[in-house]
Amino acid sequence: MNALSNSLCNMPPASGRQIPEAAVVRLPLYLRILNDLIADNCTQISSEQLAALSGQNAAKVRKDLSYLGSYGTRGVGYDVSYLLYQIKRELGLNKAWPVVIVGAGNLGQALGNYGGLSNRGFVVAAVVDTDSSKVGSVVGGVKVAHVDELPQIVQSKSVSIGIIAVPAQHAQSAADLLIRAGVGSILNFAPVILNLPPEINVRIVDMALELQILSFYEQCRIDALEVAVVSAPESVIA
Ligand code: NAI
C-alpha cells in the first residue's frame, strides 16, 4: 500500500482495536446485509448465514466480527440489532457525516440527488462549482455554491469528507482546496492519481477501470473457448 492509497488501517478504530483494512472494507457489506435483515424482522444470524449472504467464509466473518468485540453465542449466533449497532459504531456511522461535493456536473448532480447517501449516514451539506451558471441551482436539496465559499462551508458545516466530481485536470486543485479547508478524507471519482499528504484518507471510485478489469477476464474466457474449439477433434466439433 503506498502513501496515496487508502490508509484506513492507520485510522484508530472506535474500539481502540487495530482492525486490518481488509476487514474494515467488509464491514459496510455486513452492515448492508444486517439492515436488510432488520427490514425483514430477522433478529438473529449465525456466522454461517452471514458468510453465505456476504460471499465470505464463516471463519473470516467470525474473525472480522471479533475485532468489534463481537463473538456471538454458540448455537444462537449474533443479535442482529446489536451487531448492526457495533458495526455502525466502529465505522463512525452513529452520526450523520456532512459531505461536500466538488463539481455540480453530470456526476456531481447524480451523487447529490442519490438518496442512498442519506440512507447510509451521509448528508450532502454542500455542492460547489466554479461555473457561475450552476451556482444557485439546486442539487440534492442544497443550493450549489461557488467554490470560493468552500473554506467557509467546510468550517461552518463541520465537513470532513469531500467528494471530487470535477474533470481530471482540475481534480488535484480541488483536492488541495479541500485539504486547505480542513477536510480529512476524499472520495475521488476523477480518473487521476492525487498527490496527497499521507494523513489524508482517499478512496478512488473508477467505474471504467473496473469495467476494464472485467473486459480482461471476458477476453480470457473468450480466448480459452477459442483454444478449446481449435484443439477439439473434428468429430467433437461436428
Ligand atoms: P461534467 O463536465 O459534467 O462536470 C464537471 C463539473 O466540475 C462542471 O460543472 C465544472 O464546472 C466543475 N468544475 C470544474 N473545475 C472545478 C473546480 N476546480 N472546482 C469546482 N468545480 C469544478 O463532468 P462529469 O461527467 O460530471 O464528470 C466529472 C468527473 O467524474 C470527471 O473526472 C469524470 O471522469 C468522472 N467520472 C467518474 C466516474 C467513475 O465511475 N468514477 C463516472 C463518471 C464520471
Side-chain angles (χ1 to χ4, degrees), residues 176-206:
D176 294 342
L177 188 62
L178 282 166
I179 294 165
R180 276 201 304 279
V183 159
S185 293
I186 290 176
L187 181 61
N188 178 30
F189 280 89
V192 64
I193 299 292
L194 299 171
N195 187 10
L196 303 174
E199 69 274 16
I200 300 298
N201 304 296
V202 61
R203 302 286 302 178
I204 299 160
V205 181
D206 192 333

PDB file of all heavy atoms in Angstrom, residues 176-206:
ATOM      1  N   ASP A 176      -6.548  19.897  -3.272  1.00  0.00           N
ATOM      2  CA  ASP A 176      -5.738  20.834  -2.475  1.00  0.00           C
ATOM      3  C   ASP A 176      -6.640  21.809  -1.726  1.00  0.00           C
ATOM      4  O   ASP A 176      -6.417  22.112  -0.549  1.00  0.00           O
ATOM      5  CB  ASP A 176      -4.768  21.608  -3.378  1.00  0.00           C
ATOM      6  CG  ASP A 176      -3.711  20.693  -4.009  1.00  0.00           C
ATOM      7  OD1 ASP A 176      -3.520  19.569  -3.494  1.00  0.00           O
ATOM      8  OD2 ASP A 176      -3.098  21.105  -5.013  1.00  0.00           O
ATOM      9  N   LEU A 177      -7.644  22.267  -2.431  1.00  0.00           N
ATOM     10  CA  LEU A 177      -8.574  23.228  -1.813  1.00  0.00           C
ATOM     11  C   LEU A 177      -9.325  22.583  -0.642  1.00  0.00           C
ATOM     12  O   LEU A 177      -9.469  23.178   0.433  1.00  0.00           O
ATOM     13  CB  LEU A 177      -9.565  23.706  -2.878  1.00  0.00           C
ATOM     14  CG  LEU A 177     -10.488  24.850  -2.494  1.00  0.00           C
ATOM     15  CD1 LEU A 177      -9.692  26.103  -2.167  1.00  0.00           C
ATOM     16  CD2 LEU A 177     -11.460  25.143  -3.639  1.00  0.00           C
ATOM     17  N   LEU A 178      -9.764  21.346  -0.865  1.00  0.00           N
ATOM     18  CA  LEU A 178     -10.481  20.634   0.207  1.00  0.00           C
ATOM     19  C   LEU A 178      -9.591  20.470   1.430  1.00  0.00           C
ATOM     20  O   LEU A 178     -10.026  20.678   2.577  1.00  0.00           O
ATOM     21  CB  LEU A 178     -10.928  19.255  -0.297  1.00  0.00           C
ATOM     22  CG  LEU A 178     -12.163  19.205  -1.201  1.00  0.00           C
ATOM     23  CD1 LEU A 178     -12.266  17.855  -1.893  1.00  0.00           C
ATOM     24  CD2 LEU A 178     -13.429  19.502  -0.401  1.00  0.00           C
ATOM     25  N   ILE A 179      -8.339  20.104   1.184  1.00  0.00           N
ATOM     26  CA  ILE A 179      -7.425  19.864   2.306  1.00  0.00           C
ATOM     27  C   ILE A 179      -7.134  21.176   3.042  1.00  0.00           C
ATOM     28  O   ILE A 179      -7.164  21.227   4.280  1.00  0.00           O
ATOM     29  CB  ILE A 179      -6.126  19.195   1.802  1.00  0.00           C
ATOM     30  CG1 ILE A 179      -6.450  17.799   1.270  1.00  0.00           C
ATOM     31  CG2 ILE A 179      -5.080  19.112   2.907  1.00  0.00           C
ATOM     32  CD1 ILE A 179      -5.359  17.181   0.438  1.00  0.00           C
ATOM     33  N   ARG A 180      -6.882  22.236   2.282  1.00  0.00           N
ATOM     34  CA  ARG A 180      -6.637  23.542   2.922  1.00  0.00           C
ATOM     35  C   ARG A 180      -7.837  23.977   3.754  1.00  0.00           C
ATOM     36  O   ARG A 180      -7.710  24.609   4.793  1.00  0.00           O
ATOM     37  CB  ARG A 180      -6.339  24.617   1.873  1.00  0.00           C
ATOM     38  CG  ARG A 180      -4.884  24.651   1.429  1.00  0.00           C
ATOM     39  CD  ARG A 180      -4.523  26.014   0.810  1.00  0.00           C
ATOM     40  NE  ARG A 180      -5.384  26.387  -0.300  1.00  0.00           N
ATOM     41  CZ  ARG A 180      -5.243  25.949  -1.561  1.00  0.00           C
ATOM     42  NH1 ARG A 180      -4.267  25.125  -1.858  1.00  0.00           N
ATOM     43  NH2 ARG A 180      -6.074  26.351  -2.499  1.00  0.00           N
ATOM     44  N   ALA A 181      -9.024  23.575   3.289  1.00  0.00           N
ATOM     45  CA  ALA A 181     -10.253  23.960   4.014  1.00  0.00           C
ATOM     46  C   ALA A 181     -10.422  23.144   5.294  1.00  0.00           C
ATOM     47  O   ALA A 181     -11.214  23.501   6.162  1.00  0.00           O
ATOM     48  CB  ALA A 181     -11.461  23.780   3.103  1.00  0.00           C
ATOM     49  N   GLY A 182      -9.711  22.007   5.385  1.00  0.00           N
ATOM     50  CA  GLY A 182      -9.793  21.217   6.622  1.00  0.00           C
ATOM     51  C   GLY A 182     -10.397  19.843   6.478  1.00  0.00           C
ATOM     52  O   GLY A 182     -10.604  19.140   7.471  1.00  0.00           O
ATOM     53  N   VAL A 183     -10.665  19.430   5.226  1.00  0.00           N
ATOM     54  CA  VAL A 183     -11.238  18.096   5.001  1.00  0.00           C
ATOM     55  C   VAL A 183     -10.153  17.028   5.200  1.00  0.00           C
ATOM     56  O   VAL A 183      -9.019  17.209   4.785  1.00  0.00           O
ATOM     57  CB  VAL A 183     -11.815  18.045   3.557  1.00  0.00           C
ATOM     58  CG1 VAL A 183     -11.965  16.625   3.059  1.00  0.00           C
ATOM     59  CG2 VAL A 183     -13.152  18.786   3.511  1.00  0.00           C
ATOM     60  N   GLY A 184     -10.509  15.926   5.842  1.00  0.00           N
ATOM     61  CA  GLY A 184      -9.523  14.879   6.136  1.00  0.00           C
ATOM     62  C   GLY A 184      -9.639  13.650   5.259  1.00  0.00           C
ATOM     63  O   GLY A 184      -8.732  12.819   5.219  1.00  0.00           O
ATOM     64  N   SER A 185     -10.785  13.495   4.573  1.00  0.00           N
ATOM     65  CA  SER A 185     -10.995  12.314   3.738  1.00  0.00           C
ATOM     66  C   SER A 185     -11.592  12.731   2.398  1.00  0.00           C
ATOM     67  O   SER A 185     -12.455  13.628   2.345  1.00  0.00           O
ATOM     68  CB  SER A 185     -11.957  11.334   4.422  1.00  0.00           C
ATOM     69  OG  SER A 185     -11.363  10.805   5.577  1.00  0.00           O
ATOM     70  N   ILE A 186     -11.139  12.047   1.355  1.00  0.00           N
ATOM     71  CA  ILE A 186     -11.593  12.399  -0.001  1.00  0.00           C
ATOM     72  C   ILE A 186     -12.045  11.144  -0.741  1.00  0.00           C
ATOM     73  O   ILE A 186     -11.360  10.120  -0.730  1.00  0.00           O
ATOM     74  CB  ILE A 186     -10.445  13.089  -0.780  1.00  0.00           C
ATOM     75  CG1 ILE A 186     -10.194  14.488  -0.200  1.00  0.00           C
ATOM     76  CG2 ILE A 186     -10.753  13.170  -2.271  1.00  0.00           C
ATOM     77  CD1 ILE A 186      -9.021  15.221  -0.824  1.00  0.00           C
ATOM     78  N   LEU A 187     -13.204  11.259  -1.361  1.00  0.00           N
ATOM     79  CA  LEU A 187     -13.673  10.219  -2.281  1.00  0.00           C
ATOM     80  C   LEU A 187     -13.483  10.790  -3.682  1.00  0.00           C
ATOM     81  O   LEU A 187     -14.141  11.764  -4.055  1.00  0.00           O
ATOM     82  CB  LEU A 187     -15.148   9.900  -2.010  1.00  0.00           C
ATOM     83  CG  LEU A 187     -15.782   8.817  -2.885  1.00  0.00           C
ATOM     84  CD1 LEU A 187     -15.072   7.481  -2.715  1.00  0.00           C
ATOM     85  CD2 LEU A 187     -17.269   8.661  -2.545  1.00  0.00           C
ATOM     86  N   ASN A 188     -12.563  10.189  -4.428  1.00  0.00           N
ATOM     87  CA  ASN A 188     -12.204  10.761  -5.718  1.00  0.00           C
ATOM     88  C   ASN A 188     -12.795   9.959  -6.873  1.00  0.00           C
ATOM     89  O   ASN A 188     -12.478   8.789  -7.061  1.00  0.00           O
ATOM     90  CB  ASN A 188     -10.677  10.801  -5.859  1.00  0.00           C
ATOM     91  CG  ASN A 188     -10.251  11.355  -7.208  1.00  0.00           C
ATOM     92  OD1 ASN A 188     -10.955  12.184  -7.797  1.00  0.00           O
ATOM     93  ND2 ASN A 188      -9.111  10.911  -7.705  1.00  0.00           N
ATOM     94  N   PHE A 189     -13.645  10.616  -7.658  1.00  0.00           N
ATOM     95  CA  PHE A 189     -14.223   9.978  -8.843  1.00  0.00           C
ATOM     96  C   PHE A 189     -13.437  10.317 -10.104  1.00  0.00           C
ATOM     97  O   PHE A 189     -13.670   9.703 -11.143  1.00  0.00           O
ATOM     98  CB  PHE A 189     -15.683  10.426  -9.024  1.00  0.00           C
ATOM     99  CG  PHE A 189     -16.654   9.707  -8.131  1.00  0.00           C
ATOM    100  CD1 PHE A 189     -16.938  10.190  -6.863  1.00  0.00           C
ATOM    101  CD2 PHE A 189     -17.290   8.549  -8.550  1.00  0.00           C
ATOM    102  CE1 PHE A 189     -17.839   9.527  -6.024  1.00  0.00           C
ATOM    103  CE2 PHE A 189     -18.182   7.880  -7.729  1.00  0.00           C
ATOM    104  CZ  PHE A 189     -18.457   8.374  -6.466  1.00  0.00           C
ATOM    105  N   ALA A 190     -12.569  11.312 -10.036  1.00  0.00           N
ATOM    106  CA  ALA A 190     -11.839  11.710 -11.248  1.00  0.00           C
ATOM    107  C   ALA A 190     -10.757  10.674 -11.569  1.00  0.00           C
ATOM    108  O   ALA A 190     -10.091  10.178 -10.670  1.00  0.00           O
ATOM    109  CB  ALA A 190     -11.214  13.088 -11.047  1.00  0.00           C
ATOM    110  N   PRO A 191     -10.581  10.366 -12.855  1.00  0.00           N
ATOM    111  CA  PRO A 191      -9.611   9.328 -13.224  1.00  0.00           C
ATOM    112  C   PRO A 191      -8.183   9.854 -13.202  1.00  0.00           C
ATOM    113  O   PRO A 191      -7.542  10.010 -14.227  1.00  0.00           O
ATOM    114  CB  PRO A 191     -10.054   8.939 -14.646  1.00  0.00           C
ATOM    115  CG  PRO A 191     -10.707  10.166 -15.177  1.00  0.00           C
ATOM    116  CD  PRO A 191     -11.315  10.900 -14.017  1.00  0.00           C
ATOM    117  N   VAL A 192      -7.711  10.117 -12.012  1.00  0.00           N
ATOM    118  CA  VAL A 192      -6.353  10.642 -11.852  1.00  0.00           C
ATOM    119  C   VAL A 192      -5.868  10.292 -10.444  1.00  0.00           C
ATOM    120  O   VAL A 192      -6.666  10.207  -9.506  1.00  0.00           O
ATOM    121  CB  VAL A 192      -6.357  12.178 -12.086  1.00  0.00           C
ATOM    122  CG1 VAL A 192      -7.173  12.918 -11.053  1.00  0.00           C
ATOM    123  CG2 VAL A 192      -4.950  12.744 -12.141  1.00  0.00           C
ATOM    124  N   ILE A 193      -4.569  10.042 -10.322  1.00  0.00           N
ATOM    125  CA  ILE A 193      -3.986   9.777  -9.005  1.00  0.00           C
ATOM    126  C   ILE A 193      -3.676  11.120  -8.362  1.00  0.00           C
ATOM    127  O   ILE A 193      -2.965  11.952  -8.930  1.00  0.00           O
ATOM    128  CB  ILE A 193      -2.681   8.949  -9.132  1.00  0.00           C
ATOM    129  CG1 ILE A 193      -2.953   7.591  -9.781  1.00  0.00           C
ATOM    130  CG2 ILE A 193      -2.015   8.772  -7.765  1.00  0.00           C
ATOM    131  CD1 ILE A 193      -3.773   6.631  -8.954  1.00  0.00           C
ATOM    132  N   LEU A 194      -4.199  11.310  -7.190  1.00  0.00           N
ATOM    133  CA  LEU A 194      -3.988  12.572  -6.491  1.00  0.00           C
ATOM    134  C   LEU A 194      -2.729  12.496  -5.638  1.00  0.00           C
ATOM    135  O   LEU A 194      -2.432  11.461  -5.048  1.00  0.00           O
ATOM    136  CB  LEU A 194      -5.196  12.891  -5.597  1.00  0.00           C
ATOM    137  CG  LEU A 194      -6.537  13.049  -6.314  1.00  0.00           C
ATOM    138  CD1 LEU A 194      -7.680  13.138  -5.307  1.00  0.00           C
ATOM    139  CD2 LEU A 194      -6.510  14.279  -7.217  1.00  0.00           C
ATOM    140  N   ASN A 195      -2.042  13.613  -5.586  1.00  0.00           N
ATOM    141  CA  ASN A 195      -0.859  13.701  -4.738  1.00  0.00           C
ATOM    142  C   ASN A 195      -1.299  14.332  -3.416  1.00  0.00           C
ATOM    143  O   ASN A 195      -1.576  15.533  -3.357  1.00  0.00           O
ATOM    144  CB  ASN A 195       0.179  14.563  -5.460  1.00  0.00           C
ATOM    145  CG  ASN A 195       1.495  14.566  -4.740  1.00  0.00           C
ATOM    146  OD1 ASN A 195       1.697  13.784  -3.803  1.00  0.00           O
ATOM    147  ND2 ASN A 195       2.397  15.431  -5.155  1.00  0.00           N
ATOM    148  N   LEU A 196      -1.384  13.494  -2.382  1.00  0.00           N
ATOM    149  CA  LEU A 196      -1.968  13.973  -1.129  1.00  0.00           C
ATOM    150  C   LEU A 196      -1.035  13.707   0.049  1.00  0.00           C
ATOM    151  O   LEU A 196      -0.261  12.735   0.023  1.00  0.00           O
ATOM    152  CB  LEU A 196      -3.297  13.239  -0.857  1.00  0.00           C
ATOM    153  CG  LEU A 196      -4.367  13.341  -1.931  1.00  0.00           C
ATOM    154  CD1 LEU A 196      -5.543  12.451  -1.579  1.00  0.00           C
ATOM    155  CD2 LEU A 196      -4.820  14.773  -2.108  1.00  0.00           C
ATOM    156  N   PRO A 197      -1.113  14.516   1.085  1.00  0.00           N
ATOM    157  CA  PRO A 197      -0.331  14.230   2.285  1.00  0.00           C
ATOM    158  C   PRO A 197      -0.776  12.883   2.884  1.00  0.00           C
ATOM    159  O   PRO A 197      -1.948  12.503   2.751  1.00  0.00           O
ATOM    160  CB  PRO A 197      -0.690  15.376   3.238  1.00  0.00           C
ATOM    161  CG  PRO A 197      -1.423  16.378   2.434  1.00  0.00           C
ATOM    162  CD  PRO A 197      -1.954  15.710   1.219  1.00  0.00           C
ATOM    163  N   PRO A 198       0.139  12.155   3.518  1.00  0.00           N
ATOM    164  CA  PRO A 198      -0.200  10.803   3.987  1.00  0.00           C
ATOM    165  C   PRO A 198      -1.329  10.768   5.013  1.00  0.00           C
ATOM    166  O   PRO A 198      -1.987   9.735   5.163  1.00  0.00           O
ATOM    167  CB  PRO A 198       1.115  10.307   4.606  1.00  0.00           C
ATOM    168  CG  PRO A 198       1.992  11.494   4.736  1.00  0.00           C
ATOM    169  CD  PRO A 198       1.527  12.538   3.788  1.00  0.00           C
ATOM    170  N   GLU A 199      -1.548  11.877   5.707  1.00  0.00           N
ATOM    171  CA  GLU A 199      -2.600  11.843   6.729  1.00  0.00           C
ATOM    172  C   GLU A 199      -4.003  11.964   6.132  1.00  0.00           C
ATOM    173  O   GLU A 199      -5.011  11.800   6.825  1.00  0.00           O
ATOM    174  CB  GLU A 199      -2.374  12.938   7.787  1.00  0.00           C
ATOM    175  CG  GLU A 199      -2.577  14.363   7.317  1.00  0.00           C
ATOM    176  CD  GLU A 199      -1.322  14.972   6.680  1.00  0.00           C
ATOM    177  OE1 GLU A 199      -0.389  14.209   6.331  1.00  0.00           O
ATOM    178  OE2 GLU A 199      -1.287  16.208   6.516  1.00  0.00           O
ATOM    179  N   ILE A 200      -4.076  12.250   4.835  1.00  0.00           N
ATOM    180  CA  ILE A 200      -5.388  12.361   4.181  1.00  0.00           C
ATOM    181  C   ILE A 200      -5.812  10.972   3.684  1.00  0.00           C
ATOM    182  O   ILE A 200      -5.055  10.281   3.008  1.00  0.00           O
ATOM    183  CB  ILE A 200      -5.326  13.345   2.989  1.00  0.00           C
ATOM    184  CG1 ILE A 200      -4.912  14.741   3.458  1.00  0.00           C
ATOM    185  CG2 ILE A 200      -6.668  13.397   2.249  1.00  0.00           C
ATOM    186  CD1 ILE A 200      -5.855  15.408   4.435  1.00  0.00           C
ATOM    187  N   ASN A 201      -7.018  10.574   4.028  1.00  0.00           N
ATOM    188  CA  ASN A 201      -7.557   9.284   3.573  1.00  0.00           C
ATOM    189  C   ASN A 201      -8.241   9.495   2.231  1.00  0.00           C
ATOM    190  O   ASN A 201      -9.034  10.416   2.086  1.00  0.00           O
ATOM    191  CB  ASN A 201      -8.589   8.758   4.574  1.00  0.00           C
ATOM    192  CG  ASN A 201      -7.994   8.646   5.942  1.00  0.00           C
ATOM    193  OD1 ASN A 201      -7.064   7.861   6.158  1.00  0.00           O
ATOM    194  ND2 ASN A 201      -8.489   9.455   6.878  1.00  0.00           N
ATOM    195  N   VAL A 202      -7.914   8.627   1.303  1.00  0.00           N
ATOM    196  CA  VAL A 202      -8.545   8.767  -0.014  1.00  0.00           C
ATOM    197  C   VAL A 202      -9.056   7.419  -0.487  1.00  0.00           C
ATOM    198  O   VAL A 202      -8.427   6.378  -0.266  1.00  0.00           O
ATOM    199  CB  VAL A 202      -7.567   9.393  -1.045  1.00  0.00           C
ATOM    200  CG1 VAL A 202      -6.327   8.544  -1.246  1.00  0.00           C
ATOM    201  CG2 VAL A 202      -8.261   9.605  -2.388  1.00  0.00           C
ATOM    202  N   ARG A 203     -10.234   7.437  -1.064  1.00  0.00           N
ATOM    203  CA  ARG A 203     -10.784   6.259  -1.753  1.00  0.00           C
ATOM    204  C   ARG A 203     -11.041   6.688  -3.190  1.00  0.00           C
ATOM    205  O   ARG A 203     -11.452   7.820  -3.452  1.00  0.00           O
ATOM    206  CB  ARG A 203     -12.110   5.789  -1.130  1.00  0.00           C
ATOM    207  CG  ARG A 203     -12.069   5.434   0.329  1.00  0.00           C
ATOM    208  CD  ARG A 203     -11.411   4.142   0.645  1.00  0.00           C
ATOM    209  NE  ARG A 203     -11.979   2.979  -0.005  1.00  0.00           N
ATOM    210  CZ  ARG A 203     -11.462   1.745   0.150  1.00  0.00           C
ATOM    211  NH1 ARG A 203     -10.410   1.552   0.925  1.00  0.00           N
ATOM    212  NH2 ARG A 203     -11.998   0.719  -0.465  1.00  0.00           N
ATOM    213  N   ILE A 204     -10.792   5.775  -4.092  1.00  0.00           N
ATOM    214  CA  ILE A 204     -10.946   6.082  -5.512  1.00  0.00           C
ATOM    215  C   ILE A 204     -12.070   5.225  -6.081  1.00  0.00           C
ATOM    216  O   ILE A 204     -12.109   4.019  -5.824  1.00  0.00           O
ATOM    217  CB  ILE A 204      -9.630   5.785  -6.262  1.00  0.00           C
ATOM    218  CG1 ILE A 204      -8.512   6.663  -5.691  1.00  0.00           C
ATOM    219  CG2 ILE A 204      -9.771   5.995  -7.764  1.00  0.00           C
ATOM    220  CD1 ILE A 204      -7.120   6.151  -5.999  1.00  0.00           C
ATOM    221  N   VAL A 205     -12.966   5.863  -6.808  1.00  0.00           N
ATOM    222  CA  VAL A 205     -14.016   5.109  -7.497  1.00  0.00           C
ATOM    223  C   VAL A 205     -13.806   5.323  -8.987  1.00  0.00           C
ATOM    224  O   VAL A 205     -13.820   6.461  -9.461  1.00  0.00           O
ATOM    225  CB  VAL A 205     -15.432   5.603  -7.104  1.00  0.00           C
ATOM    226  CG1 VAL A 205     -16.494   4.784  -7.818  1.00  0.00           C
ATOM    227  CG2 VAL A 205     -15.623   5.569  -5.606  1.00  0.00           C
ATOM    228  N   ASP A 206     -13.568   4.254  -9.707  1.00  0.00           N
ATOM    229  CA  ASP A 206     -13.367   4.380 -11.147  1.00  0.00           C
ATOM    230  C   ASP A 206     -14.087   3.239 -11.859  1.00  0.00           C
ATOM    231  O   ASP A 206     -13.595   2.125 -11.958  1.00  0.00           O
ATOM    232  CB  ASP A 206     -11.873   4.365 -11.488  1.00  0.00           C
ATOM    233  CG  ASP A 206     -11.627   4.794 -12.940  1.00  0.00           C
ATOM    234  OD1 ASP A 206     -12.530   4.604 -13.778  1.00  0.00           O
ATOM    235  OD2 ASP A 206     -10.534   5.306 -13.223  1.00  0.00           O
TER     236      ASP A 206
END
